[in-house]
Amino acid sequence: MFIPEGFSFGAIASGIKKKGFDLGLIYAEKPALGVGVFTTNLVKAAPVLLGQEVLTRNNKFRAIIVNSGCANACTGEAGLLDAKEISSYLAQKLNCSPEEILPASTGVIGERLPKEKIIKAIPSLIEKLSPERYQDFAKAIMTTDAFPKIASRQIEISGVKINILGIAKGAGMIAPNMATMLAFLLTDISLPQERLAKILKAVVNKTFNRITVDGDTSTNDTVYLMASGQKKEVEKKDMTTFEKALYEVCYELASFIVKDGEGATKLVKISVTNAKSEEKALKMAKTIANSLLVKTALFGEDPNWGRFLAAMGRAGVNFDPNKVDIYVNKIKIVENGLGIGKENENKAHLEMKKPNFSITIDLKEGDYKAYYLTCDLSYDYVKINAEYRT
Amino acid sequence: MFIPEGFSFGAIASGIKKKGFDLGLIYAEKPALGVGVFTTNLVKAAPVLLGQEVLTRNNKFRAIIVNSGCANACTGEAGLLDAKEISSYLAQKLNCSPEEILPASTGVIGERLPKEKIIKAIPSLIEKLSPERYQDFAKAIMTTDAFPKIASRQIEISGVKINILGIAKGAGMIAPNMATMLAFLLTDISLPQERLAKILKAVVNKTFNRITVDGDTSTNDTVYLMASGQKKEVEKKDMTTFEKALYEVCYELASFIVKDGEGATKLVKISVTNAKSEEKALKMAKTIANSLLVKTALFGEDPNWGRFLAAMGRAGVNFDPNKVDIYVNKIKIVENGLGIGKENENKAHLEMKKPNFSITIDLKEGDYKAYYLTCDLSYDYVKINAEYRT
């Protein structure tokens, strides 16, 4: 892993969850530029409201504090005060302003944060800070996640090595526009804030906003990007190198989230190609990616292309069904809207036995394309989500 | 059951399915007025295209022929010719025009109809026609349905008894705007065609278009209404009596479909009340009704109201989360956006153990309301839909 200069990490078991790390901290030695992207859900959790608030008032930050086990969502004014109180206490201990703290929470909706436990744990959490503890931090933000999600890249710009580290969580309630997903991106690049914000938005739109597990969007989605600026400012022409590397980190984290989709056994890329516009391609890919009949067919390893076509037909996009070709990896199963036959379907079935594969829809109508990452829908998805909370 | 005068029914095992009735016929002694409502899916099955075609050219019909086991969808020009050939053969045997036949199919997408088997079975099917055989007909149109779906009403208008009989099928791919659902409504009322069409559209919109099992919309959805006109023409003022009875028949059939939702163990009415407009209330009810997290919580009998609020927040409808009250039957679990407490949640949990219950969302913002019928998402939904077709 490539750890950007200027950051350290901590994690602790504060007692919010029954066991394991549940409180994580990222600390910037010197004030670091920060930008964020948040859930589009109208119902926003307290830490999202607070994060948005501090980002409008401030652009340099010292810390990100994250808890798992409790989303602090649907907790009203009291929940917002809880979040503020935690930020204030942490700021005091770190000798900074509460407005230099970025908050995030994930877990059950509708319950108050156990504020006292968190505040009590903060001093020990700070003591644990170290550049090596990023894995502990990744574990502290997990909820139903089966594995911690970390990705990094190193790029060289004009002889200077620049590092990007991304840590994410998310497994359920993943949908169009981020869902219960938290991602923290750190870099030592030096860039103006507006540029950083623009790059983050573009990258999130092409990665975290193109994944779905269950079509639900959470109240808590947050992506923060912090840049310590410890490496010299890069020139505008080198921006694409940085954006590409950030894209790779985010794509990798997004794939991890879908792969870890609750109960998922397959990671599937749904590509719609040769569409009249990117928007149309995306809308269609998204509808297929969210169809329960498609997702159960993926679980059944069944190249049931009628379900793909049926989902496409209700996507609200005009197209000619009689021109459509469909592929599973490189195996063509539909040509001009008609099935090619059992032999190819059997070959496609074998491709679908793999843990990763792609479904490609060729509309043969234009020059645009888009993709969505999805997973299958299994018994375990139902099991994980049907269990009574208490 | 109240059987409208002038109709008879037949069913036969023609061999499309491995066993059981798979071909059904409704016959009108005298030409009967016919109207139809079809799938909104852009990908339309051959019988839908043919049904739409004959309805634009003709308004009196002699028969409805329906097969299960094969949808005749995504079969191109050849599939349309198959459907036409079957209609022509049937018309010849019934001494009528092929344009007096309304067709429908349901089953697997992407496979050609076994036309010869169907044609061979038609003479015996006609021999079986009888006003008593409506139950056999109901069985012949079943696919993954667990039980036949029949509802009827009798009303009296100016001393004349008028009968309405409805027969439907559907269990999966049920979604906004009808999905894999077939419904055949018969009455002996005498009414002008445009009035009949208007009433059907209004009733379908309030019943079959407000149910969801899995959010998918089929290529084959069809509702036909035939009126034999054997009872004297009713006056305009009595129309509401007829419309109300037709609504009741359709609501009952729609409830049967959701109750029989693939793997469903609960029938749940999601009501959104006191909204600023009916459209907003409906959009919100629909989003909740289709949320996988909500549907798995229903299966888990868990009054997990955070999931209801999260679904509402992504419905694309503006509202104030801090004013929302939520009820399970009569038990209030959320007041002004905040949870009321464990005691009420436990009571709500007991209500959710029942096979039928309602979730009511009170927005406290206006005077409009709307509902959606949904079911839970269980292991069996995954099982039914994940099995490889062959």
Side-chain angles (χ1 to χ4, degrees):
Chain A
M1 289 292 156
F2 304 104
I3 311 303
E5 288 178 24
F7 295 102
S8 54
F9 308 85
I12 199 165
S14 72
I16 309 170
K17 291 201 288 200
K18 276 169 197 154
K19 58 175 190 171
F21 293 141
D22 52 21
L23 192 64
L25 181 66
I26 298 175
Y27 176 67
E29 284 166 24
K30 295 175 190 168
L33 265 184
V35 289
V37 178
F38 299 91
T39 182
T40 55
N41 199 306
L42 190 89
V43 179
K44 290 176 171 48
V48 168
L49 295 171
L50 182 57
Q52 288 179 325
E53 191 186 318
V54 297
L55 276 165
T56 58
R57 290 217 286 255
N58 198 16
N59 64 6
K60 294 238 174 181
F61 299 88
R62 298 302 299 275
I64 300 175
I65 184 156
V66 193
N67 74 277
S68 57
C70 174
N72 194 9
C74 304
T75 46
E77 197 54 40
L80 195 58
L81 288 174
D82 290 343
K84 283 182 177 172
E85 208 171 312
I86 291 164
S87 282
S88 293
Y89 183 80
L90 177 63
Q92 183 195 320
K93 294 288 160 189
L94 294 176
N95 286 317
C96 68
S97 148
E99 299 199 343
E100 288 178 293
I101 309 285
L102 293 167
S105 296
T106 177
V108 180
I109 301 176
E111 284 176 15
R112 292 278 298 275
L113 274 182
K115 190 173 54 188
E116 288 73 24
K117 285 181 186 171
I118 294 173
I119 284 177
K120 203 176 152 203
I122 283 177
S124 322
L125 178 62
I126 293 173
E127 274 172 32
K128 287 185 192 294
L129 284 171
S130 144
E132 280 80 47
R133 288 232 167 81
Y134 60 89
Q135 279 179 313
D136 287 355
F137 176 84
K139 283 177 198 160
I141 65 175
M142 286 164 62
T143 53
T144 54
D145 301 64
F147 56 88
K149 297 168 182 71
I150 309 172
S152 78
R153 289 289 185 283
Q154 188 175 67
I155 48 172
E156 202 174 308
I157 295 179
S158 317
V160 180
K161 288 199 170 64
I162 287 169
N163 304 291
I164 303 174
L165 175 70
I167 301 174
K169 68 82 49 178
M173 225 196 226
I174 295 301
N177 302 315
M178 296 208 315
T180 300
M181 200 217 63
L182 301 177
F184 307 101
L185 305 165
L186 306 172
T187 178
D188 36 24
I189 204 169
S190 174
L191 271 183
Q193 195 206 13
E194 62 274 25
R195 193 145 287 279
L196 215 53
K198 206 176 155 192
I199 291 175
L200 179 65
K201 204 176 161 191
V203 167
V204 166
N205 201 32
K206 277 188 288 179
T207 55
F208 296 120
N209 280 351
R210 299 218 179 168
I211 59 177
T212 182
V213 169
D214 53 20
D216 271 288
T217 307
S218 128
T219 51
N220 289 58
D221 297 337
T222 302
V223 178
Y224 289 130
L225 167 60
M226 278 176 97
S228 68
Q230 305 226 342
K231 298 297 172 70
K232 70 166 189 188
E233 185 141 345
V234 302
E235 289 175 42
K236 212 168 170 183
K237 69 174 170 62
D238 297 316
M239 215 66 77
T240 46
T241 314
F242 174 71
E243 183 167 340
K244 190 171 164 285
L246 190 70
Y247 168 82
E248 286 175 9
V249 167
C250 291
Y251 185 88
E252 202 170 317
L253 292 174
S255 306
F256 287 157
I257 290 172
V258 180
K259 197 173 165 181
D260 196 11
E262 288 169 344
T265 71
K266 314 271 179 197
L267 169 63
V268 184
K269 185 171 186 170
I270 309 283
S271 292
V272 175
T273 64
N274 297 316
K276 279 180 195 154
S277 74
E278 193 187 344
E279 191 199 345
K280 284 181 179 178
L282 188 60
K283 208 167 169 186
M284 196 174 273
K286 177 176 155 183
T287 306
I288 300 168
N290 277 307
S291 158
L292 293 203
L293 287 172
V294 168
K295 287 164 77 74
T296 46
L298 299 178
F299 178 56
E301 300 169 344
D302 180 3
N304 195 336
W305 55 269
R307 293 185 180 178
F308 303 145
L309 269 174
M312 290 162 65
R314 67 173 168 87
V317 173
N318 205 21
F319 71 101
D320 183 354
N322 300 315
K323 278 168 81 179
V324 172
D325 293 352
I326 301 179
Y327 299 79
V328 176
N329 285 342
K330 309 234 156 181
I331 311 295
K332 193 190 267 194
I333 52 170
V334 171
E335 190 170 75
N336 295 322
L338 299 175
I340 274 188
K342 288 290 167 204
E343 198 184 322
N344 278 31
E345 284 192 25
N346 289 339
K347 282 184 198 164
H349 170 55
L350 293 179
E351 295 294 319
M352 293 175 81
K353 286 186 165 295
K354 299 174 181 170
N356 298 343
F357 56 87
S358 66
I359 306 285
T360 304
I361 313 288
D362 187 349
L363 297 178
K364 297 190 279 186
E365 291 190 330
D367 300 320
Y368 295 90
K369 62 180 177 176
Y371 73 86
Y372 234 83
L373 294 180
T374 191
C375 58
D376 55 344
L377 181 69
S378 71
Y379 301 115
D380 282 350
Y381 177 84
V382 178
K383 186 167 194 291
I384 292 165
N385 285 294
E387 274 167 12
Y388 193 60
R389 284 164 299 162
T390 48
Chain B
M1 290 292 157
F2 304 104
I3 313 302
E5 287 178 25
F7 295 103
S8 54
F9 308 86
I12 199 165
S14 72
I16 310 170
K17 292 200 287 200
K18 277 169 197 155
K19 58 175 189 172
F21 292 142
D22 51 22
L23 192 64
L25 181 65
I26 298 175
Y27 176 67
E29 284 166 25
K30 295 174 189 168
L33 264 184
V35 289
V37 177
F38 299 91
T39 182
T40 55
N41 199 305
L42 189 88
V43 179
K44 290 177 173 46
V48 168
L49 295 171
L50 182 57
Q52 289 179 325
E53 191 187 318
V54 296
L55 277 164
T56 57
R57 290 217 285 255
N58 198 15
N59 64 5
K60 294 239 174 179
F61 299 89
R62 298 302 299 275
I64 300 176
I65 184 155
V66 193
N67 74 277
S68 57
C70 173
N72 193 9
C74 304
T75 47
E77 197 53 41
L80 194 58
L81 288 175
D82 290 343
K84 283 182 177 172
E85 208 171 311
I86 291 164
S87 283
S88 292
Y89 184 80
L90 177 63
Q92 185 195 319
K93 294 288 159 190
L94 294 176
N95 286 317
C96 68
S97 149
E99 300 199 343
E100 289 177 292
I101 309 286
L102 293 167
S105 296
T106 177
V108 180
I109 301 177
E111 285 176 15
R112 292 277 298 276
L113 274 182
K115 190 174 51 185
E116 289 71 25
K117 285 182 186 171
I118 294 174
I119 284 177
K120 202 175 153 205
I122 283 176
S124 321
L125 178 62
I126 293 173
E127 275 172 32
K128 287 183 194 296
L129 285 170
S130 143
E132 280 80 47
R133 289 233 167 79
Y134 59 89
Q135 279 178 313
D136 287 354
F137 176 85
K139 284 176 197 160
I141 65 175
M142 286 165 64
T143 53
T144 54
D145 302 63
F147 56 88
K149 296 169 181 70
I150 308 171
S152 79
R153 289 289 185 283
Q154 188 175 69
I155 48 173
E156 202 174 309
I157 295 178
S158 318
V160 180
K161 287 197 170 67
I162 287 169
N163 303 290
I164 302 173
L165 175 70
I167 301 174
K169 68 81 50 178
M173 223 194 227
I174 295 301
N177 301 317
M178 297 209 313
T180 300
M181 200 217 62
L182 300 176
F184 307 101
L185 306 165
L186 306 172
T187 177
D188 37 23
I189 205 169
S190 174
L191 270 182
Q193 196 206 12
E194 62 274 26
R195 193 145 286 279
L196 215 52
K198 206 175 155 193
I199 290 175
L200 179 65
K201 205 177 160 190
V203 167
V204 166
N205 202 32
K206 276 189 288 180
T207 55
F208 296 119
N209 280 351
R210 299 220 179 165
I211 60 177
T212 182
V213 168
D214 52 21
D216 271 290
T217 306
S218 129
T219 51
N220 290 57
D221 297 337
T222 302
V223 178
Y224 288 130
L225 168 60
M226 278 176 96
S228 68
Q230 306 226 342
K231 300 296 173 69
K232 70 165 190 187
E233 186 141 348
V234 302
E235 288 175 43
K236 214 169 169 181
K237 69 175 171 55
D238 297 316
M239 216 67 77
T240 46
T241 314
F242 174 71
E243 184 167 341
K244 189 170 164 287
L246 189 71
Y247 169 81
E248 285 175 11
V249 167
C250 291
Y251 185 88
E252 202 170 318
L253 293 174
S255 306
F256 287 158
I257 290 171
V258 180
K259 197 173 166 184
D260 196 12
E262 289 170 343
T265 70
K266 314 271 180 197
L267 169 62
V268 184
K269 185 171 186 171
I270 309 283
S271 293
V272 174
T273 63
N274 297 316
K276 279 181 195 154
S277 73
E278 193 187 342
E279 192 199 344
K280 284 181 180 178
L282 187 61
K283 208 168 169 185
M284 196 174 273
K286 177 176 155 180
T287 307
I288 300 168
N290 277 305
S291 159
L292 293 202
L293 287 172
V294 167
K295 287 165 77 74
T296 47
L298 299 177
F299 178 56
E301 301 169 344
D302 180 3
N304 195 335
W305 54 269
R307 294 186 180 178
F308 303 145
L309 269 173
M312 291 161 65
R314 67 173 168 87
V317 173
N318 205 22
F319 71 101
D320 183 354
N322 300 315
K323 278 168 80 178
V324 173
D325 293 353
I326 301 179
Y327 300 79
V328 176
N329 285 343
K330 308 235 155 180
I331 311 296
K332 194 189 264 194
I333 53 171
V334 171
E335 191 170 74
N336 295 324
L338 298 175
I340 274 187
K342 288 291 166 201
E343 197 184 321
N344 278 30
E345 286 192 23
N346 289 340
K347 282 184 198 164
H349 170 56
L350 294 179
E351 295 294 320
M352 292 176 82
K353 287 187 164 294
K354 299 175 181 170
N356 297 344
F357 56 87
S358 66
I359 306 285
T360 304
I361 314 289
D362 188 349
L363 297 178
K364 296 190 275 185
E365 290 190 329
D367 299 321
Y368 296 89
K369 62 179 178 175
Y371 73 87
Y372 234 83
L373 295 180
T374 191
C375 58
D376 54 345
L377 181 69
S378 71
Y379 301 115
D380 281 349
Y381 178 84
V382 179
K383 186 165 194 291
I384 292 165
N385 285 295
E387 275 167 12
Y388 192 61
R389 284 164 298 160
T390 50

